[in-house]
Amino acid sequence: MKTMNRRSAIALGMTAAAVTPLFTLATSAKVKEYGPTEGKELAPGVRVVEVGTGNSDIPAYKSIAIVDIVFQPGAVVPAMVMDNDMVCTIVSGEFTIKKVDKEFKLKEGDMYTCAKGKTDEATNTSAVVGVHRLAVLIPA
């Protein structure tokens, strides 16, 4: 594992600071209830719904796309390599997230990050439809 240098720490801090208002705005409204065929199927019981895209003032990223990943109860997105850096929040439901080196549980309102090139797996462990809201950071 690489150590984080000062430049990386500052960039991560700036990214978190820039994305936080997006999540406040994106999660402050009532969560839309998605239909069973809305969006694009990612895995059985899991759909991706595009919410919107905006420009980024963070030099490393040209834009930020907000997407909702909608999980039926018990649905799993198998381990996959992330194409972009992402900041993720749990809008509804409860999840188990597996990374190469750790596993953790999240509930509504919790946040975590995904790094480009890293592997993540997510499982909706609740009895309700779960939603991950992602801020996908698109490189400049």
Side-chain angles (χ1 to χ4, degrees):
M1 178 180 229
K2 289 184 179 181
T3 58
M4 183 177 286
N5 63 28
R6 186 174 5 172
R7 181 173 284 152
S8 297
I10 290 170
L12 181 61
M14 288 175 51
T15 300
V19 172
T20 299
L22 280 174
F23 276 115
T24 303
L25 223 74
T27 59
S28 62
K30 182 175 173 24
V31 177
K32 178 182 178 196
E33 292 185 22
Y34 294 108
T37 60
E38 202 162 347
K40 179 181 174 187
E41 186 175 59
L42 182 62
V46 182
R47 302 192 73 77
V48 178
V49 180
E50 295 179 16
V51 176
T53 302
N55 294 326
S56 171
D57 288 336
I58 305 168
Y61 303 103
K62 70 178 178 183
S63 61
I64 300 171
I66 302 295
V67 298
D68 283 348
I69 311 296
V70 183
F71 291 74
Q72 295 304 311
V76 177
V77 171
M80 54 190 342
V81 176
M82 302 295 108
D83 293 334
N84 297 87
D85 294 328
M86 294 178 245
V87 179
C88 313
T89 190
I90 306 302
V91 178
S92 63
E94 295 183 3
F95 290 85
T96 296
I97 306 299
K98 291 181 185 176
K99 296 182 178 268
V100 171
D101 58 345
K102 61 185 167 184
E103 180 177 318
F104 50 94
K105 296 184 183 305
L106 299 168
K107 60 183 184 316
E108 188 173 321
D110 290 342
M111 296 177 77
Y112 70 105
T113 58
C114 300
K116 179 179 179 176
K118 300 292 183 176
T119 303
D120 285 19
E121 177 181 315
T123 303
N124 181 359
T125 56
S126 66
V128 301
V129 172
V131 178
H132 276 192
R133 180 151 292 164
L134 312 179
V136 182
L137 305 170
I138 312 297

